[in-house]
Amino acid sequence: MAWGLLRGCVRTGAAVAVVAAIGVIAGGGQSFAVTASSGCTAVNAGGFNDSIDSTTFDHSITISNFSVGDTLTFSFSMSGLATAWNLFSGSSAVLKATIFSSTQTYTVTGTNSDTTLTSFIQHDATFPGNVSVTATCTASSVAASTTSLNSSLNPSAFGQPVTFTATVTGSSPTGTVTFKDGANTLGTGTLNGSGVATFTTSSLTLGSHSITASYAGDSNNSASTSSPLTQVVNAASTTTTLGSSLNPSSFGQAVTFTATVTGSSPTGTVTFYDGGTQIGTGTLSGGIATFTISSLALGKHTITASYGGDSNNSASTSSALTQTVGIPADSLKLRQMQLLATPVAAQISGQAITGAIETAIEDAFSDYVQPFTPNGSGFTFHFAADELNDPRSSSGSDGLKRFIAAPDRRANQLIDDEFSALGYAGNITKAPPKNPTLQRDWLAWIDVRGVSVYNNSVGNDLKGNQVNLTAGLTRKLTPNFIVGAFGGYEHLDYNSDALNSRLKGDGWTVGSYLGWRFAESLRFDMALAHSNIGYNDTSGMAAATFPGSRWLASGGLTGTYHLQALVLQPSVRVYGLWEHDSAYTDNLGIAWGTNDFSTGRASAGTKLSYPFVWSSTINLAPYVGVYGDYYFSSSNAAVAGVPTLPLQLQGWSARFTSGVTMKFANGGLISLGGELGGIGGNTTVWTYRLQGSVPF
């Protein structure tokens, strides 16, 4: 059988008929003719083969020039047995049908991929009749559209908004575009007047996504779908910021560090570091994690907060925060009080000890009438005495008064009107006249001083009281040389309103001294002492106890001159103290180093007294004195960060003393006095003194 070929020409209208290709089969041999027309192109692809069974496609017609939106109509007419007909687009069946003897029509509308359709006609080996096929292409007035797609941010971070933009070209396309992630619809967008539709989402998961945009078409434009766009979603970037609840802070004070993490709803933990050392962690809640610490050491600390990230957020680390940890205000004031008050306490102690020794030495060089002397059979008691070979001598109490008034003059002879003690044998005899010895061998003494210190300087005030009790024993080795030993106790209590501080202390002192009368009216003395003090310092919430040890050295020259009834005693003296206070840690945890300082006083002045007979047994000697003093101090206890307060006793000062001394017939002595000193109008030192001595 011969096949005819008909090829169509160019489309000329909205509907163009294509002449059917008619095959006529006659008696054992078939023929098939194809008529060409404009529109579609039909191509005979083979002839009938009677020997092929019904499962084989033995004839095909290929339709080309078939555009999107076109319609294709197949009209079949046959006589004889049924014949199978299939229409394919590529390898996909568009339409399957069975052709019967009557005329049948099938219509197919073109899509994007329907540019070429292939028709297969299948029949059995005993095909008896005729088949006529007409393929008619109708050109569509719908314009073909194209859709393109792009992303506003690719790659993007998790949770970050991404806008997909679809641009549809065609004949003023309208309608909607559907955006898909693979087979899942993300959302839709409506085309604007420029053919652009957008859709924004921030819910894409981590990883790669195949995004497409499908335009549904309208009455003037065909549907179209974009090529896939690969959208990459990475973990969300985060930023971590760090803040401190208190900066600078004080040692031992609780500080809360707050880390704020921004990202896509970040979860997990934040680790806090001091330099390279981890100090704690905090769990994020609402993007915030906190950590509180009160154990940061003194100084500057480089604090950072590191977020470890989660499944949707990347890790991040904050910028460094410099946290400064300083000394608590109360600890500072505690140390200031120590540096302010301990030199004052040492000065007052030095004044008390050297003053007590000076008086003891003065008393030791004053001769007296010994109240009793041994004799051959007992003791002789001297109830009265008079100087013999003295033109002023008289008997009775007048002689005793003169003797007391001038106790330093040795009597040449005593009256023999005295009682003699009974001897061991019991014989009562009249003791022979004797000259009682005027030599002082031993002198026991005690000195009690109370001192009040007052300084009203603004921001540097100091007030307090101190009591020093000193007792000693003097031995007169020769009429002009004495030695002695002493011990003492002191209690001090000072406070400062500006520092809100109080320093208390108790201590004991031991030492020795010597005196040398190297001229009739001039003597030299010196002393050495050691003290141990226990201090208790408080300031606000801070408190500490610490021990102190102190050395004292003193020396001086004193003259004694008689001006008629007056006694003038000029003197030059100096003493120095060296104190070491041990290191300590206060109750707030601040460690303080040692406090080493020196202090002292150089003095020059005179005391004027007027001794006179008060009674037959008491000689009074009121006195006044005026002195110029220079206080000196130095310290190596300065600490960085601790403001240094001016020393309370430093510089030149005047000092005034006054009192009265009572001497008894037996050589005993009681002295009462007071003293006013200090520095300028700011620091005032009042001293109250009581001293007593008993010779034996």
Side-chain angles (χ1 to χ4, degrees), residues 59-122:
H59 181 74
S60 67
I61 300 175
T62 299
I63 306 298
S64 60
N65 291 347
F66 182 54
S67 301
V68 175
D70 289 353
T71 59
L72 177 62
T73 301
F74 288 91
S75 296
F76 291 89
S77 179
M78 66 169 289
S79 60
L81 298 176
T83 298
W85 176 73
N86 297 298
L87 182 64
F88 284 83
S89 174
S91 62
S92 301
V94 177
L95 184 64
K96 293 184 178 181
T98 300
I99 303 173
F100 298 97
S101 58
S102 59
T103 300
Q104 295 166 257
T105 301
Y106 302 95
T107 302
V108 178
T109 301
T111 63
N112 283 343
S113 61
D114 296 333
T115 57
T116 300
L117 298 178
T118 302
S119 174
F120 296 90
I121 299 176
Q122 183 184 44

Side-chain angles (χ1 to χ4, degrees), residues 148-166:
S148 61
L149 178 65
N150 60 62
S151 169
S152 63
L153 185 64
N154 195 9
S156 61
F158 177 81
Q160 193 170 19
V162 178
T163 298
F164 296 109
T165 300

Side-chain angles (χ1 to χ4, degrees), residues 47 161 307 348 362 592:
Y307 171 56
I348 299 305
E362 177 184 343
W592 296 104

Side-chain angles (χ1 to χ4, degrees), residues 649-660:
L649 295 174
Q650 177 75 35
W652 293 98
S653 173
R655 178 165 47 97
F656 303 93
T657 64
S658 179
V660 61

Side-chain angles (χ1 to χ4, degrees), residues 384-388 393-396 413-418 433-434:
D386 196 2
E387 300 182 59
L388 300 180
S393 176
S394 63
S395 61
Q413 182 177 353
L414 299 177
I415 62 172
D416 59 2
D417 185 13
E418 54 191 5
K434 291 181 179 286

Side-chain angles (χ1 to χ4, degrees), residues 249-253 294-298 325-328 331 586 588-591:
S249 60
S250 296
F251 179 81
Q253 197 169 20
S294 58
S295 60
L296 291 176
L298 291 173
V325 179
I327 300 173
S331 288
D586 65 27
L588 299 182
I590 301 300

